[in-house]
């Protein structure tokens, strides 16, 4: 396997009792994450981007379940492939926080208010290493310095409420990176922060990625964050990947009408006081997806075919995949 | 723009919150939420306050509606000093000034139907017959784009964007002249944000409204406002016409803030002025210029004296010692 992580045909079910079939919250997700790649996942709320990544970590909350036929394969540090779906909880614990770790959106709620920063960093170490207490102290101190926290020695003894949002997010990054993971999942790491702090955190993450051999999956709804940090992007809409390409292609050779609408409705610089472009209507709720293209009733270029048949995700150019009938004539054979 | 009448004139506004401590809840200090803020809003204009969290922009918005009593300063609305009004005349005044809140999930009462939510401001401010009320509700639902069939529904049955429309309808049903919009789109998705911003701009045109628009999103502010004030720790550090401020930012804080906006294009080369550290606590603001300990151009005078706002270009005010003569 040449990819670090391969997701094949991932679906996530919301069971509805014995009589009804489950609602598919996401369906048919195929993603490949390369080593040392910065992968962006972008979409509006409710499109399934966060639960997809929770599934990678085995963190789906009850009653959500990974559907039948899904596969998430991860190559661990020994070069061995592992199937994450259906893995025993004890095995998962060995991977989580060690090979794959995660940064959450709200640093204020993700840290435990009852423990000091040092205790929380050490927790990650004590699970996965056999360091002595003194060694752990040194390791966490060094890590805090790497994420550029001033007065690191003092901060170790502080509790989360002593620190500001930006500082806490740095602590979260320190905890996530302390075991030198091969994959880091960042779920909206800067959404709760101010712009100047967001800029600091994004710069820090870019710098750290250079010095670690870590792939990053950046989940966000902000196209600016994508432009700033990612190399490859998948656009999610209503539980499906609608477009996947390199970041330059997404911004400059946009293929899918939804991506285009998303880019155009961003309040861009320089067109002040003009009417903004809007995508009409709302995201359909899970369970009410049409059998055709899920974007059809909001699309300006909707055709008859779109309403009845769901387009497949096909490669329209090398490394540029799109799920839209507009781009499919001729490409069908290739797929 | 300047020939239009000044609707709101805020002079040296100051709002402090006491910090209570000890067994007898004695005042042990003050949070300097708004230190010294002056601005004017003209008729049919959108004035924006922008800044990071904790800089006092929301407190300013609420203080000028007298939802929070100011510690000092004058708030003149349409020629009347709001601070001088007694409770009853203030209540009557409120129909002219309304507020749209940030979070449409918590600002609507979950136990009231949309119809009740819309009737409430009418009952508070006017004595209308049921037929007249019906007419008003019909008018406002059409204006903001709520389906009249949904009037008997409860807030939880709507999405975020729809709820924000209800909030806007509730604010506008008394036909105010002035609306404070406190981060009205921050809780919404990009595609819905655009819909709500368009709605706000349409309503402004049709109803001749003035807005005080409060936001931390610099792109949204640039899009919607005529003039903008950049706040830092309870003071306006730079104020001017939106394009003047965005294209020619003079205050070091504004420059850093604008350079921190994520780029809109992966190919764009962007030089970033990086700010170190966090915003100081408003309970214990630094002496002199509030920004001096993060400023790259900090001089000796900055830590001693608070800079005065001066007009460097017509209508463009900057409070910074760099421009002292």
């Amino acid at each position: 396997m040449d990819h670090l992580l391969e997701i094949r045909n991932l679906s996530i079910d919301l069971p509805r009792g014995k009589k009804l079939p489950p609602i598919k919250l996401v369906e048919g997700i195929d993603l490949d994450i390369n080593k040392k790649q910065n992968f962006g996942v972008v979409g509006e709320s409710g499109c399934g981007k966060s639960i997809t990544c929770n599934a990678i970590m085995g963190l789906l909350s009850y009653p959500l379940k990974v559907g039948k036929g899904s596969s998430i394969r991860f190559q661990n540090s020994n070069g061995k492939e592992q199937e994450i779906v259906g893995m025993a909880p004890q095995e998962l614990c060995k991977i989580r926080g060690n090979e794959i770790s995660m940064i959450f959106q709200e640093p204020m709620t993700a840290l435990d208010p009852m423990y000091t920063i040092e205790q929380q960093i050490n927790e990650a170490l004590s699970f996965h290493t056999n360091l002595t207490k003194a060694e752990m102290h040194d390791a966490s101190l060094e890590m805090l310095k790497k994420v550029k926290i001033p007065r690191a020695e003092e901060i170790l003894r502080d509790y989360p409420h002593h620190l500001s949002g930006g500082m806490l997010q740095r602590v979260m990054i320190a905890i996530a990176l302390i075991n030198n993971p091969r994959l880091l999942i960042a779920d909206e790491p800067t959404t709760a922060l101010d712009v100047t702090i967001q800029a600091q955190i994004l710069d820090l993450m870019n710098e750290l990625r250079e010095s670690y051999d870590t792939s990053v999956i950046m989940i966000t709804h902000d196209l600016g964050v994508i432009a700033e940090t990612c190399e490859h992007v998948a656009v999610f809409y209503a539980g499906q990947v609608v477009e996947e390409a390199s970041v330059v292609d997404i911004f400059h050779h946009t293929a899918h009408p939804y991506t285009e609408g998303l880019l155009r409705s961003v309040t861009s610089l320089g067109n002040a006081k003009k009417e903004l472009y809007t995508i009409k209507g709302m995201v359909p709720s899970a369970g009410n997806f049409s059998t055709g293209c899920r974007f059809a009733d909001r699309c300006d270029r909707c055709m008859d075919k779109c309403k009845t048949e769901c387009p497949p995700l096909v490669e329209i150019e090398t490394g540029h995949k799109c799920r839209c009938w507009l781009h499919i004539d001729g490409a069908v054979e290739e797929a | 723009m300047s020939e239009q009448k000044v609707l709101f004139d805020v002079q040296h506004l100051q709002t402090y919150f006491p910090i209570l401590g000890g067994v007898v809840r004695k005042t042990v200090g003050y949070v300097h939420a708004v230190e010294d803020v002056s601005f004017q809003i003209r008729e049919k204009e959108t004035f924006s306050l922008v800044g990071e969290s904790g800089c006092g922009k929301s407190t300013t918005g609420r203080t000028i509606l007298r939802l929070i009593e100011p510690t000092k300063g004058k708030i003149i609305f349409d020629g009347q000093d709001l601070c001088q009004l007694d409770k009853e005349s203030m209540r009557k005044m409120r129909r002219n000034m309304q507020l749209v809140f940030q979070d449409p999930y918590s600002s609507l009462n979950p136990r009231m139907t949309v119809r009740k939510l819309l009737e409430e401001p009418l009952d508070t401010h006017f004595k209308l017959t049921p037929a007249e009320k019906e007419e008003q509700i019909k008018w406002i639902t059409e204006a903001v784009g709520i389906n009249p069939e949904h009037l008997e529904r409860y807030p939880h049955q709507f999405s975020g964007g729809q709820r924000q429309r209800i909030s806007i309808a509730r604010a506008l049903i008394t036909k105010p002249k002035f609306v404070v919009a406190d981060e009205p789109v921050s809780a919404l998705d990009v595609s819905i944000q655009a819909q709500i911003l368009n709605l706000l701009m349409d309503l402004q045109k049709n109803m001749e409204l003035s807005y005080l628009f409060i936001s931390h999103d610099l792109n949204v502010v640039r899009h919607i406002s005529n003039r903008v004030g950049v706040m830092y720790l309870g003071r306006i550090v730079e104020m001017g016409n939106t394009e003047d401020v965005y294209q020619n930012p003079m205050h070091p804080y504004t420059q850093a803030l604008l350079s921190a906006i994520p780029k809109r294009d992966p190919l764009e080369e962007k030089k970033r002025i990086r700010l170190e550290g966090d915003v100081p606590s408003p309970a214990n603001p630094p002496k002199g210029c509030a920004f001096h300990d993060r400023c790259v151009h900090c001089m000796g005078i900055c830590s001693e004296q608070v800079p005065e706002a001066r007009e460097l270009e017509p209508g463009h005010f900057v409070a910074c010692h760099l421009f002292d003569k």
Side-chain angles (χ1 to χ4, degrees):
Chain A
M1 184 165 88
D2 13 311
H3 303 296
L4 179 69
L5 185 82
E6 276 183 10
I7 301 177
R8 287 287 171 271
N9 195 23
L10 176 74
S11 61
I12 295 171
D13 290 350
L14 176 64
R16 287 189 295 176
K18 280 176 188 156
K19 286 179 189 157
L20 293 165
I23 296 177
K24 299 244 177 239
L25 296 181
V26 301
E27 215 175 340
I29 305 280
D30 290 339
L31 293 174
D32 292 323
I33 318 286
N34 290 332
K35 282 163 203 155
K36 290 202 80 172
Q37 190 180 35
N38 226 3
F39 195 90
V41 173
V42 65
E44 294 180 277
S45 42
C47 68
K49 53 191 193 306
S50 285
I51 52 170
T52 302
C53 293
N54 285 351
I56 300 173
M57 288 287 271
L59 283 178
L60 285 180
S61 52
Y62 180 82
L64 299 182
K65 267 193 239 150
V66 174
K68 273 185 196 144
S70 313
S71 152
I72 302 173
R73 299 178 73 78
F74 177 70
Q75 192 184 44
N76 69 11
S77 45
N78 309 325
K80 222 175 76 192
E81 277 180 42
Q82 283 176 307
E83 174 64 53
I84 293 181
V85 175
M87 190 185 261
Q90 298 92 321
E91 289 292 306
L92 256 178
C93 277
K94 286 186 194 156
I95 295 183
R96 238 186 252 147
N98 189 21
E99 305 254 350
I100 308 180
S101 54
M102 193 155 178
I103 303 172
F104 296 92
Q105 173 172 1
E106 283 261 3
M108 297 83 171
T109 51
L111 290 169
D112 193 324
M114 298 291 283
Y115 294 93
T116 62
I117 301 298
E118 178 166 14
Q119 284 168 322
Q120 303 198 40
I121 301 179
N122 287 356
E123 192 190 7
L125 282 174
S126 61
F127 258 103
H128 300 290
T129 60
N130 300 318
L131 298 180
T132 63
K133 232 179 166 185
E135 283 168 334
M136 282 201 271
H137 177 82
D138 292 344
S140 38
L141 189 63
E142 196 191 333
M143 198 63 224
L144 280 196
K145 282 179 185 157
K146 270 192 198 152
V147 295
K148 301 194 181 149
I149 288 187
R151 304 180 290 116
E153 190 80 45
E154 280 171 55
I155 299 279
L156 276 180
R157 290 192 295 273
D158 278 346
Y159 287 89
H161 73 267
H162 288 125
L163 305 182
S164 65
M167 282 296 170
L168 288 176
Q169 200 56 286
R170 282 165 200 264
V171 172
M172 285 294 294
I173 294 173
I175 294 174
L177 288 180
I178 194 145
N179 285 319
N180 201 355
R182 289 162 66 74
L183 178 65
L184 175 67
I185 301 174
D187 189 356
E188 309 248 9
T190 57
T191 309
L193 306 175
D194 281 315
V195 264
T196 57
I197 310 295
Q198 165 170 300
Q200 288 174 6
I201 296 288
L202 292 181
D203 283 351
L204 175 73
M205 288 185 69
N206 278 340
E207 274 170 42
L208 287 174
R209 205 186 52 188
E210 302 286 306
S211 53
Y212 284 81
D213 291 337
T214 306
S215 299
V216 180
I217 301 182
M218 177 74 86
I219 308 172
T220 179
H221 66 271
D222 188 340
L223 286 160
V225 172
I226 294 282
E228 199 82 30
T229 54
C230 296
E231 293 151 7
H232 206 78
V233 185
V235 182
F236 272 60
Y237 182 76
Q240 289 177 324
V241 176
V242 293
E243 187 165 1
E244 193 194 326
S246 72
V247 69
V248 179
D249 281 346
I250 287 279
F251 279 80
H252 289 278
H253 304 282
T254 319
H256 199 279
Y258 173 66
T259 317
E260 203 183 311
L262 211 56
L263 283 167
R264 277 174 69 190
S265 58
V266 168
T267 43
S268 57
L269 302 179
N271 60 347
K273 275 281 170 187
K274 262 188 236 144
E275 183 100 338
L276 277 170
Y277 176 79
T278 55
I279 306 174
K280 60 188 181 210
M282 282 175 295
V283 184
S285 57
N288 297 327
F289 297 137
S290 72
T291 47
C293 172
R294 293 178 179 180
F295 188 60
D297 49 352
R298 302 178 75 191
C299 185
D300 293 338
R301 287 184 276 166
C302 176
M303 301 174 289
D304 287 343
K305 197 178 187 182
C306 304
K307 290 187 180 138
T308 50
E309 261 183 276
C310 183
L313 188 67
V314 293
E315 196 155 22
I316 52 170
E317 274 166 52
T318 326
H320 190 162
K321 292 184 201 158
C322 177
R323 189 189 285 277
C324 182
W325 287 120
L326 286 173
H327 298 276
I328 283 183
D329 353 70
V332 179
E333 287 84 348
E334 281 172 46
Chain B
M1 201 52 68
S2 52
E3 65 273 17
Q4 265 155 4
K5 212 179 106 198
V6 173
L7 186 67
F8 240 108
D9 190 0
V10 178
Q11 294 168 9
H12 302 288
L13 190 72
Q14 190 180 61
T15 310
Y16 284 1
F17 297 114
I19 306 169
L20 303 176
V23 189
V24 289
R25 313 309 288 158
K26 224 171 80 187
T27 304
V28 292
Y30 289 96
V31 175
H32 301 227
V34 180
E35 193 74 62
D36 181 358
V37 165
S38 309
F39 59 86
Q40 295 181 330
I41 300 172
R42 303 194 183 93
E43 275 180 349
K44 292 185 251 174
E45 181 190 55
T46 306
F47 180 74
S48 288
L49 283 177
V50 61
E52 295 179 274
S53 46
C55 70
K57 53 192 192 303
S58 288
T59 309
T60 308
R62 285 173 196 210
T63 311
I64 66 169
L65 298 181
R66 259 185 88 192
L67 295 174
I68 300 168
E69 289 296 325
T71 314
K72 245 194 235 167
K74 269 188 180 168
I75 311 161
I76 295 161
F77 175 71
D78 224 1
Q80 264 181 303
D81 190 345
L82 292 185
C83 297
Q84 306 294 328
L85 293 180
D86 59 46
K87 224 174 159 186
E88 189 50 33
S89 18
M90 190 62 217
R91 199 178 69 81
K92 283 192 182 133
M93 207 64 185
R94 285 196 195 285
R95 74 182 59 158
N96 293 323
M97 41 176 103
Q98 293 286 337
L99 179 61
V100 177
F101 293 93
Q102 168 172 9
D103 186 0
Y105 293 89
S106 57
S107 61
L108 297 173
N109 187 338
R111 300 183 58 166
M112 286 164 105
T113 60
V114 177
R115 183 186 297 280
K116 284 224 180 88
L117 284 166
L118 293 178
E119 275 176 2
E120 198 183 25
L122 290 178
D123 290 339
T124 316
H125 292 293
F126 306 101
K127 285 202 177 84
L128 296 180
T129 62
E132 282 169 322
K133 268 199 263 183
E134 194 52 46
E135 198 179 308
Q136 292 291 319
I137 289 173
K138 195 165 163 258
W139 160 74
I140 196 76
T141 48
E142 205 168 296
V144 302
I146 303 172
N147 187 343
E149 287 166 23
H150 294 169
L151 278 175
E152 308 308 327
R153 291 195 182 179
Y154 288 89
H156 73 266
Q157 292 168 295
F158 293 91
S159 66
Q162 288 294 326
R163 275 187 236 198
Q164 200 56 290
R165 284 178 201 267
I166 300 170
S167 291
I168 294 170
R170 226 168 107 80
L172 295 186
I173 200 163
T174 62
K175 301 197 175 124
K177 289 184 197 160
F178 176 73
V179 174
V180 174
D182 190 354
E183 307 250 15
V185 297
S186 341
L188 307 174
D189 275 317
V190 228
S191 68
I192 310 296
Q193 260 188 18
Q195 292 174 0
I196 297 292
L197 288 176
N198 281 344
L199 173 70
L200 284 172
M201 289 192 285
D202 280 348
L203 290 169
Q204 178 170 42
K205 231 178 281 160
N206 299 338
M207 296 177 65
E208 309 200 325
L209 291 168
S210 306
Y211 286 131
L212 173 66
F213 193 88
I214 298 168
S215 180
H216 66 272
D217 188 327
L218 294 151
N219 289 322
V220 169
V221 164
R222 183 174 194 173
H223 193 86
I224 199 167
S225 47
N226 304 102
R227 288 192 310 130
V228 59
V230 182
M231 279 190 80
Y232 187 78
L233 224 59
R235 289 173 197 277
I236 292 183
V237 295
E238 183 159 359
M239 179 164 69
N241 291 331
T242 309
E243 282 312 304
D244 291 347
V245 173
Y246 274 74
Q247 279 172 12
N248 183 19
M250 295 196 192
H251 196 280
Y253 177 65
T254 318
Q255 289 169 356
L257 196 65
L258 292 177
S259 80
I261 305 176
K263 53 191 179 188
R264 286 287 161 220
D265 186 329
L267 298 178
E268 185 185 321
E269 284 293 320
K270 195 159 184 179
K271 223 180 128 206
R272 181 168 287 163
I273 306 167
R274 201 193 285 186
L275 283 185
E276 296 299 333
D278 287 316
V279 183
S281 156
N284 187 16
K287 237 182 120 207
C289 172
F291 186 58
H292 78 262
D293 50 356
R294 296 174 81 192
C295 183
V296 279
H297 307 289
C298 179
M299 303 173 291
I301 188 173
C302 297
S303 55
E304 284 153 25
Q305 214 179 333
V306 178
E308 292 281 318
R310 47 189 94 227
E311 192 165 6
L312 295 177
E313 286 164 15
H316 192 160
F317 295 85
V318 182
C320 180
H321 286 302
L322 284 177
F323 304 100
D324 288 348
K325 293 215 175 91

